[in-house]
Amino acid sequence: MVSKFKTVFSVLAALATATVAVAQKTIPAPRATRSFVVPKLAEAKLPNGLTVAVVERSNVPLVTVRLVIRGGARSEGLSRAGLADLTAALATKHTKTRGADKIAEEMEFLGSGLVSGADWEKSVFSFTVAVDKLDAAMRIFGDVILNTTLDANELELLRAQALDNLAADLKEPAFLASYVASVYSYGEHPVGGTPESLKAISRKDIAEYRNRNHRPENSVLIFTGDIKPARANALATRTLGAWRKASGPTVFDLMTPATGETNGTGRILVIDLPDSGQSAVTYTQRLLRRGRVNCTVGECISNSVFFPATVTNSILGGGYSSRLNQEIRIKRGLSYGAGSGFSWRNGTANFATRTQTKDESAAEVAEIVVNEIKRLAETEAAKIEINPRKLVITGDYSREFETTAELAETVGAVYGYQLSPFEMTTFNIGVNAVTGTQVREFARVYLQNGDIVIAGDYRKFRDDLAKRFPGATVQVIEAARLDLSKESLQR
């Protein structure tokens, strides 16, 4: 009897396996694209120059408030890297009437929390709160923006926390590779700072940066959610109407303009991190002064650079079914994931692929990345591959409007990149117009000959790296000697 059951079960299992195998060979067609309408944006300007932008959405009784100030890390130098981020963080810690604990407690009592920070292009202050708590939250918000004391004790606490976090991060291969690439490949610096710069930043530096950049005519206050423009404008006037313009010019960019066509020349840099256990493999390319990439983001959008870049990236490393993830993770099992992305700037665009693998396979992964970019540049991608990637891009874009916080972040990016709000309505059109020829040409012109940056235990992939990249000069820097303030990047 037992043997009969085993036989039956074996037959059923075989049939089930065959059925699954047949099903897997038939890839279901993508569903039709859902209709999506970009919400309308109302804009006003206060007498002090502050722009107020409102996107009304009444389906949920929440409002997100987001203050975007132009001039993030790009308006600081390498010697003071981290200044923009530290300035934004410190502003929320102490005012003339409230200490850090009181600010946090009062916002928590309202069911909210105040978040601040900076990226390359902008500084941001933001919170989300229930509609009936908005007036109270705005009073605290206005106090922080107008009346911060830039408390010296809070500065030292933030500095210590930043240094501790950075010390821990610099032991992680993925962070280390990205950290070094910011200077080595992109000619920038880490937004969060370096050990040397964080120690050098003084309260005077912060006060001067704030006076130079945190000013109403340089800012936009965004309201998204269950609020009408009239109420938003009244709240903005009552809360930030007393914010006055500072004397002297705003300094948006302290970076030395880059020259040449692309930064990448096929260089290989290894950050030797003994006993790391894993290696981070990064392929980087900075796009500038070539064709029409030397443009603001808005200009790049209008002259058809942005959209081919977006679709090209999605095919190469923009998700689970992208070429890099298919080749590195699914086919070869060398990593838990591989991807790529652009960090857009006003004037340049930073491209990077990123993956993490065991030390012994670091060189193999680097070779795969280079070969996949070469294949993308030499062979036109078919519609059967491009069209699903377009659906992924437009689907992801529609989800950026689902919550008040995501909506405020998207609107903030529009203003941070100095775009017209109209550009939000043309995104899907631009993506869907990209052809396979444009993808191939973009990869051919802009993505080849990039830098390879590997952070890991060099002794475990040194011979394989030399074998896979014969004739290449490999620069090696010991992680313990790393110093981005030096031209050689090491002490």
Side-chain angles (χ1 to χ4, degrees):
M1 182 67 69
V2 174
S3 61
K4 288 183 179 180
F5 277 122
K6 285 184 177 180
T7 301
V8 172
F9 287 147
S10 297
V11 172
L12 290 175
L15 288 172
T17 301
T19 301
V20 171
V22 172
Q24 287 177 337
K25 290 180 181 179
T26 306
I27 300 175
R31 294 183 179 180
T33 305
R34 291 184 180 181
S35 59
F36 166 63
V37 178
V38 175
K40 294 182 179 179
L41 185 149
E43 182 180 286
K45 193 174 287 287
L46 301 188
N48 62 1
L50 177 66
T51 299
V52 181
V54 185
V55 178
E56 184 181 355
R57 175 166 289 170
S58 58
N59 58 331
V60 178
L62 292 173
V63 175
T64 293
V65 178
R66 191 174 184 88
L67 179 68
V68 175
I69 304 172
R70 281 186 61 203
R74 70 179 306 124
S75 53
E76 65 191 22
L78 174 59
S79 65
R80 294 297 184 271
L83 177 59
D85 194 49
L86 202 55
T87 300
L90 186 60
T92 67
K93 297 302 181 182
H94 201 280
T95 72
K96 296 175 182 178
T97 58
R98 292 177 171 93
D101 290 344
K102 187 174 183 181
I103 292 170
E105 288 170 1
E106 289 187 11
M107 290 298 291
E108 185 178 0
F109 181 76
L110 299 174
S112 184
L114 186 55
V115 178
S116 63
D119 59 22
W120 190 255
E121 298 289 349
K122 60 190 181 297
S123 298
V124 174
F125 298 81
S126 183
F127 69 90
T128 299
V129 73
V131 173
D132 61 341
K133 305 292 193 303
L134 179 59
D135 286 46
M138 283 297 292
R139 285 194 291 272
I140 302 169
F141 186 75
D143 188 34
V144 165
I145 301 302
L146 299 183
N147 300 318
T148 181
T149 60
L150 303 179
D151 186 78
N153 292 329
E154 293 292 343
L155 170 58
E156 293 311 313
L157 180 59
L158 284 173
R159 190 200 313 274
Q161 291 172 340
L163 287 169
D164 285 347
N165 290 336
L166 184 56
D169 288 338
L170 288 174
K171 297 176 183 178
E172 298 295 329
F175 178 89
L176 189 58
S178 178
Y179 175 85
V180 174
S182 64
V183 175
Y184 180 75
S185 296
Y186 303 139
E188 298 179 349
H189 56 256
V191 172
T194 69
E196 295 76 21
S197 67
L198 289 172
K199 292 173 184 176
I201 293 172
S202 67
R203 185 183 178 280
K204 180 182 178 182
D205 293 327
I206 291 175
E208 289 178 349
Y209 180 92
R210 177 178 164 80
N211 290 336
R212 192 172 66 229
N213 292 286
H214 289 203
R215 38 207 298 182
E217 73 276 20
N218 189 37
S219 307
V220 56
L221 183 64
I222 300 164
F223 293 84
T224 57
D226 192 7
I227 185 169
K228 295 194 176 296
R231 186 187 176 200
N233 293 336
L235 273 172
T237 300
R238 187 163 65 244
T239 305
L240 297 179
W243 193 7
R244 297 304 176 197
K245 298 179 182 180
S247 59
T250 302
V251 179
F252 291 129
D253 195 349
L254 293 182
M255 300 299 297
T256 302
T259 58
E261 293 189 339
T262 58
N263 261 16
T265 56
R267 301 175 298 176
I268 300 177
L269 173 66
V270 173
I271 306 302
D272 188 14
L273 190 64
D275 302 317
S276 58
Q278 294 264 304
S279 286
V281 180
T282 302
Y283 177 97
T284 60
Q285 181 63 285
R286 190 185 196 199
L287 287 59
L288 63 154
R289 300 190 187 282
R290 184 169 188 168
R292 289 185 284 183
V293 172
N294 185 37
C295 51
T296 66
V297 176
E299 290 168 345
C300 283
I301 288 175
S302 64
N303 67 27
S304 300
V305 170
F306 178 83
F307 293 115
T310 300
V311 176
T312 301
N313 177 70
S314 185
I315 293 170
L316 180 65
Y320 187 82
S321 60
S322 66
R323 291 186 180 186
L324 289 179
N325 198 65
Q326 286 280 329
E327 192 65 32
I328 294 171
R329 173 180 173 164
I330 297 173
K331 291 183 181 179
R332 307 198 193 195
L334 297 175
S335 176
Y336 283 113
S340 64
F342 282 95
S343 295
W344 287 91
R345 310 290 196 236
N346 279 314
T348 64
N350 296 341
F351 172 78
T353 72
R354 294 184 178 90
T355 190
Q356 195 155 299
T357 186
K358 61 182 182 293
D359 292 314
E360 291 80 2
S361 55
E364 180 182 0
V365 167
E367 184 182 46
I368 292 170
V369 172
V370 171
N371 288 341
E372 286 302 315
I373 290 174
K374 183 179 180 182
R375 182 165 73 94
L376 194 61
E378 294 178 349
T379 306
E380 187 169 315
K383 288 184 178 180
I384 194 173
E385 181 180 21
I386 293 178
N387 290 342
R389 300 314 306 171
K390 290 180 179 179
L391 290 172
V392 170
I393 296 168
T394 56
D396 287 344
Y397 183 65
S398 67
R399 283 190 286 275
E400 292 179 10
F401 296 85
E402 288 187 349
T403 69
T404 60
E406 290 171 324
L407 180 53
E409 185 174 355
T410 300
V411 175
V414 168
Y415 283 97
Y417 288 123
Q418 305 171 61
L419 305 179
S420 163
F422 175 73
E423 303 290 356
M424 291 192 298
T425 67
T426 62
F427 181 85
N428 287 358
I429 297 172
V431 168
N432 289 323
V434 174
T435 66
T437 300
Q438 287 178 299
V439 168
R440 183 190 63 203
E441 283 303 292
F442 185 88
R444 183 185 68 81
V445 174
Y446 298 117
L447 297 188
Q448 299 190 97
N449 301 317
D451 297 332
I452 297 171
V453 180
I454 304 175
D457 193 339
Y458 182 45
R459 61 184 175 174
K460 294 184 179 179
F461 59 82
R462 176 176 50 206
D463 294 341
D464 195 29
L465 190 65
K467 177 182 176 182
R468 294 178 186 273
F469 295 90
T473 299
V474 180
Q475 181 183 359
V476 182
I477 298 175
E478 296 176 17
R481 297 184 59 205
L482 188 65
D483 185 346
L484 298 191
S485 66
K486 307 293 185 183
E487 186 174 350
S488 64
L489 302 182
Q490 58 185 317
R491 291 188 288 273

